[in-house]
């Protein structure tokens, strides 16, 4: 008889980076639970292939073979190795990247309730742990790979980016976001350019935060610096400002500790960013990586507020003190919940021209669907406040309900009329369903296109533009109460290329510095959320003919020199990351 298949593989990883040690001076490591699979040499699994090729020395290192037990679970060859010996072992480096990329993929799939795709169409992402001798790491869609560099630190030891938890999760988040919203790397609004970086940092921060042991260690260390009693935390230290200064800043300082000289301290400056609605308009926040900090700051401020709220219900274990372990557990659970919410929000974003307000309204609406009662963490409330503190208002977002009787209270939900007229009151939508079939509508791009075309007037399509359904994805989400929600998410986009005079005639504005030889591409598109009966319940639409948004986008692109288009365009993330270095005016590259 075949033995029962193992439910998980467990492999050991470095929890943060080799520069982060516990109170006894040992590098923090942790086992991660991974989807079960029979690993090929490399490791080489069903979604990730580690290839140890160094382009700087033109060397291909031999792949390491894994053994499995009788239940099919992989045997971790590094389970008992002393932590300091892991740092110099390139076979462990390969295991570390495999395990962290796979656990990030599995985390996305758990949040989404379906398989998550990479952005390049293939099934197996190549991961190269020692790709080049350079202080950089990036996702490359054209290479179908994550590439991690290595470099000499100032004290002469070799720093491997493939050992840094947050760099690996950050790059994997780029690859997964690219798989869900391929057009988010197109030139568009300042927010869209910044979103990839800000989102990848949010995922990295929350992922590290939700690891067992990390928050305990940081809180305990901060406590002992202040001479606090062991395993206890003063009640006064769990208000949002204290938690931000201790846990969040402590974590941001540790993340990528070894890479500080190369990477800078992007996470630290996001956490320390003073609250102000005026940042978004300042010149320094027009640069993508700085603007991404606004997103990180808004989300993490919401996180500490929710965590602090939860502390109010905790009973003091002795006069004026809380149990540190419980405080850390609450923080970890909250981080895990917010991580799910941050990933699910992507399904409710428009396929093109994302602005931060769209992401906020997507996060709130997607959460409301699967979890009507939010009394535990109140993230919908805290996110709204966190974003509003930085001048981002959910009322400007693009999510609109399309189902009869779906009137939601605008005070408590994201669903409000956006500023510039894309609001579609549900009662005016007389959608035709009887020419499409509900079953193919959950999986067939042509069936969805038929639905959109049949309803093009109500959905405010631009009929003379090129239109294409990009994806159709059924998902099954489970709420904390076990309640299951079936949805199908479909996205389409539209393109129209116009001469400046045609643009002026169509949208009523002229752009500076263009000649009649120039061509201006206009993009639009929508995300459709169907319920389990194949009825449209949300429509998230950026109309190609929305003059206000198109003008804002085009003027920004002209000011940045990205329009009119001249010469070949690149879609390579190495360029985005190199540009981050350029933008700061410093001769270094960043993640
Ligand atoms: Zn990045």
């Amino acid at each position: 008889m075949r033995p029962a298949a193992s439910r998980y593989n467990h492999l050991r990883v470095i929890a943060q980076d080799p520069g982060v040690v516990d109170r006894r001076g040992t590098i923090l490591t942790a086992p991660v639970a991974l989807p079960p699979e029979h690993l090929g040499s490399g490791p080489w699994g069903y979604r990730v292939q580690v290839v140890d090729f160094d382009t700087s020395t033109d060397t291909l290192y031999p792949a390491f073979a894994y053994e499995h037990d009788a239940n099919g679970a992989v045997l971790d060859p590094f389970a008992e190795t002393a932590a300091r010996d892991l740092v110099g072992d390139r076979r462990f480096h390969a295991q570390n990247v495999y395990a962290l990329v796979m656990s990030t993929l599995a985390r996305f799939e758990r949040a989404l309730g379906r398989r998550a795709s990479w952005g390049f169409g293939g099934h197996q992402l190549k991961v190269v742990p020692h790709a080049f001798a350079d202080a950089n790491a990036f996702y490359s869609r054209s290479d179908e790979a994550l590439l991690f560099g290595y470099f000499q630190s100032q004290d002469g030891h070799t720093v491997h980016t493939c050992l840094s938890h947050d760099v690996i999760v950050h790059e994997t988040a780029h690859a997964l976001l690219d798989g869900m919203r391929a057009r988010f790397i197109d030139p568009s609004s300042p927010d869209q350019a910044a979103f990839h970086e800000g989102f990848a940092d949010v995922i990295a921060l929350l992922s590290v935060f939700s690891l067992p042991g990390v928050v305990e260690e940081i809180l305990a260390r901060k406590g002992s610096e202040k001479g606090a009693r062991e395993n206890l935390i003063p009640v006064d230290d769990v208000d949002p400002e204290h938690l931000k200064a201790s846990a969040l800043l402590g974590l941001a300082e540790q993340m990528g500790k070894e890479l500080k000289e190369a990477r800078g301290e992007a996470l630290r400056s996001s956490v320390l960013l003073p609250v102000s609605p005026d940042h978004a308009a300042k010149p320094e926040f027009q640069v993508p990586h700085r603007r991404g900090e606004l997103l990180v700051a808004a989300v993490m401020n919401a996180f500490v507020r929710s965590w602090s709220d939860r502390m109010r219900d905790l009973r003091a274990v002795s006069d004026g003190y809380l149990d540190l372990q419980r405080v850390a557990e609450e923080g970890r659970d909250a981080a895990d919940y917010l991580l799910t919410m941050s990933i699910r929000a992507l399904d409710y974003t428009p396929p093109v021209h994302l602005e931060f307000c769209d992401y906020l309204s997507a996060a709130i609406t997607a959460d409301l669907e699967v979890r009507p009662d939010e009394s535990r963490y109140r993230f919908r409330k805290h996110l709204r406040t966190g974003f509003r503190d930085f001048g981002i208002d959910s009322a400007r977002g693009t999510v609109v309900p399309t189902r009869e009787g779906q009137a939601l209270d605008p005070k408590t939900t994201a669903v409000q009329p956006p500023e510039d007229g894309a609001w579609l009151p549900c009662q005016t939508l007389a959608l035709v369903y009887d020419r499409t079939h509900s079953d193919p509508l959950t999986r067939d791009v042509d069936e969805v296109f038929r639905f959109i075309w049949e309803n093009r007037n109500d959905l405010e399509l631009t009929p003379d533009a090129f239109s294409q359904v990009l994806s159709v994805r059924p998902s099954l989400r489970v709420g904390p109460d076990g309640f299951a929600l079936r949805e199908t998410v479909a996205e389409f986009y539209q393109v129209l290329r116009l001469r400046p005079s045609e643009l002026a005639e169509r949208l009523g504005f002229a752009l500076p510095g263009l000649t009649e030889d120039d061509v201006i591409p206009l993009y639009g598109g929508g995300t459709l959320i169907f319920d389990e009966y194949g009825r449209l319940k949300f429509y998230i639409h950026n109309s190609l003919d929305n003059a206000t948004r198109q003008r804002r986008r085009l003027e920004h692109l002209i000011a940045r020199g990205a329009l009119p288009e001249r010469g070949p365009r690149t879609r390579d993330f190495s360029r985005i990351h190199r540009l981050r270095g350029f933008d700061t005016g410093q001769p270094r590259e960043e993640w």
Side-chain angles (χ1 to χ4, degrees):
M1 202 175 83
R2 230 181 107 101
S6 166
R7 291 197 58 202
Y8 293 104
N9 275 341
H10 285 95
L11 289 173
R12 194 168 170 211
V13 299
I14 289 182
Q16 288 176 268
D17 89 18
V20 179
V21 294
D22 66 15
R23 280 161 283 175
R24 290 178 300 280
T26 309
I27 296 169
L28 285 179
T29 64
V32 287
L34 300 166
E37 61 172 326
H38 195 279
L39 274 186
S41 300
W44 187 344
Y46 68 108
R47 298 299 304 277
V48 172
Q49 178 190 6
V50 179
V51 182
D52 199 359
F53 180 65
D54 185 339
T55 57
S56 297
T57 59
D58 201 22
T59 313
L60 177 65
Y61 294 94
F64 180 52
Y66 278 79
E67 290 176 8
H68 299 75
D69 70 13
N71 292 324
V74 72
L75 297 170
D76 184 349
F78 302 102
E80 305 297 331
T81 311
R84 63 180 177 281
D85 295 334
L86 298 173
V87 177
D89 191 331
R90 46 173 69 247
R91 296 170 310 171
F92 174 75
H93 298 182
Q95 169 165 318
N96 196 62
V97 283
Y98 161 79
L100 289 173
V101 173
M102 270 310 284
S103 67
T104 308
L105 170 71
R107 191 65 190 77
F108 269 64
E109 291 183 338
R110 183 149 66 87
L112 294 170
R114 61 162 191 270
R115 296 293 172 211
S117 311
W118 306 120
F120 47 83
H123 302 292
Q124 292 171 314
L125 176 76
K126 291 185 230 11
V127 180
V128 190
H130 313 98
F132 39 72
D134 193 6
N136 201 358
F138 55 86
Y139 160 59
S140 165
R141 187 196 276 174
S142 54
D143 294 319
E144 306 186 353
L146 301 184
L147 304 159
F148 295 92
Y150 58 90
F151 60 98
Q152 298 296 311
S153 72
Q154 277 163 359
D155 66 10
H157 78 285
T158 304
V159 177
H160 291 281
T161 62
C162 68
L163 292 179
S164 177
H165 190 127
D166 86 281
V167 172
I168 298 167
V169 176
H170 176 111
E171 298 310 329
T172 310
H174 276 314
L176 288 162
L177 174 55
D178 195 35
M180 287 180 71
R181 288 288 180 272
R183 315 296 309 194
F184 277 7
I185 58 171
D186 287 349
S188 180
S189 64
D191 281 3
Q192 179 162 296
F195 183 73
H196 247 285
E197 291 309 318
F199 176 78
D201 276 346
V202 164
I203 299 299
L205 261 170
L206 293 175
S207 299
V208 176
F209 219 99
S210 53
L211 280 180
V214 171
V215 190
E216 284 89 328
E217 187 63 35
I218 291 168
L219 288 177
R221 187 173 317 168
K222 289 277 174 189
S224 64
E225 280 169 15
K226 289 167 56 183
R229 288 158 64 183
E230 202 168 345
N231 300 325
L232 295 175
I233 184 165
V235 172
D236 294 342
D237 282 6
V238 297
D239 65 77
E241 284 312 306
H242 273 95
L243 285 177
K244 213 159 110 177
S246 59
L248 213 50
L249 191 59
L251 183 67
E253 281 169 348
Q254 293 192 356
M255 283 173 68
K257 196 174 182 189
E258 288 229 309
L259 312 171
K260 205 180 280 178
E261 60 190 78
R263 188 181 194 237
E265 296 182 292
L267 292 172
R268 189 169 185 273
S269 54
S270 307
V271 172
L272 288 176
L273 193 66
V275 164
S276 161
D278 305 326
H279 293 310
K282 291 180 188 161
E284 71 256 39
F285 285 97
Q286 305 313 304
V287 177
H289 80 271
R290 291 255 33 215
R291 199 174 186 83
E293 288 175 14
L294 298 177
L295 183 80
V296 180
V299 174
M300 296 321 285
N301 279 333
F303 167 67
V304 287
R305 284 202 185 107
S306 168
W307 185 14
S308 177
D309 264 11
R310 296 281 308 152
M311 297 304 105
R312 259 194 247 133
D313 304 334
L314 278 188
R315 205 140 19 109
V317 285
S318 76
D319 199 21
Y321 284 89
L322 299 172
D323 178 43
L324 187 140
Q325 193 72 28
R326 281 296 311 278
V327 172
E329 273 168 21
E330 289 288 350
R332 198 167 70 221
D333 289 351
D336 192 62
Y337 189 86
L338 187 55
L339 187 57
T340 299
M341 205 173 158
S342 305
I343 296 166
R344 281 182 181 164
L346 296 177
D347 266 348
Y348 280 58
T349 56
V352 293
H353 306 325
L354 178 80
E355 296 186 17
F356 290 160
C357 56
D358 300 328
Y359 180 68
L360 172 61
S361 108
I364 293 171
T365 314
D367 188 62
L368 186 71
E369 282 297 284
V370 76
R371 186 190 173 90
D373 168 26
E374 76 152 353
S375 52
R376 192 170 162 88
Y377 296 114
R378 297 187 187 280
F379 273 128
R380 298 200 285 271
K381 173 183 148 220
H382 291 305
L383 281 173
R384 219 179 348 276
T385 312
F387 276 71
R388 194 167 47 229
D389 285 348
F390 289 95
I392 304 158
D393 189 351
S394 63
R396 291 182 45 212
T398 34
V399 177
V400 290
T402 58
R403 204 167 48 185
E404 289 262 11
Q406 205 184 8
L408 297 166
D409 181 357
K411 287 196 197 71
T412 54
T413 72
V415 182
Q416 298 180 31
E419 44 151 13
D420 39 25
W423 167 248
L424 304 175
C426 21
Q427 58 270 32
T428 68
L429 281 186
L431 298 172
V432 177
Y433 287 97
D434 56 7
R435 291 177 187 164
T436 46
H437 303 280
S438 60
D439 182 47
L441 210 52
T442 63
R443 53 189 156 73
D444 187 335
V445 287
D446 289 311
E447 193 74 1
V448 172
F449 187 77
R450 166 125 210 226
F451 175 83
I452 293 169
W453 188 254
E454 211 58 70
N455 293 294
R456 58 191 178 276
N457 291 335
D458 278 283
L459 296 177
E460 297 186 339
L461 240 64
T462 303
D464 53 341
F466 169 81
S467 309
Q468 187 181 11
V469 174
L470 298 171
S471 67
V472 185
R473 301 181 172 115
S475 67
L476 176 68
R477 288 147 212 236
V478 180
D481 54 353
F483 163 79
L485 177 77
R486 279 178 201 283
E487 288 180 336
T488 301
V489 185
E491 37 156 6
F492 71 92
Y493 91 121
Q494 296 200 287
V495 191
L496 200 58
R497 295 181 182 275
L498 300 174
R499 300 281 176 198
S501 60
E502 294 171 315
L503 180 80
E505 192 181 329
R506 190 177 185 108
L507 295 183
F509 62 88
L511 293 166
L514 299 183
T515 71
E516 203 48 24
D517 290 335
D518 291 322
V519 174
I520 307 296
L522 284 184
Y523 298 99
T527 300
L528 303 106
I529 313 281
F530 294 100
D531 68 14
E532 59 193 307
Y533 309 107
R535 299 267 152 174
L536 188 67
K537 57 176 185 174
F538 291 106
Y539 184 41
I540 301 125
H541 185 213
N542 262 326
S543 170
L544 199 145
D545 285 314
N546 181 331
T548 313
R549 275 202 178 200
Q550 294 290 11
R551 181 174 195 165
R552 201 159 60 212
R553 176 184 79 90
L554 293 169
E555 286 178 348
H556 165 72
L557 291 176
I558 288 173
R560 297 272 297 169
L563 266 185
E565 288 175 2
R566 286 172 187 129
R569 279 213 344 247
T570 173
R571 291 170 158 277
D572 193 329
F573 277 77
S574 62
R575 197 162 156 271
I576 293 183
H577 289 163
R578 292 209 172 95
L579 281 174
R580 289 180 69 171
F582 267 105
D583 286 337
T584 60
Q586 292 164 25
R588 61 177 161 84
E589 296 175 350
E590 289 184 273
W591 288 267

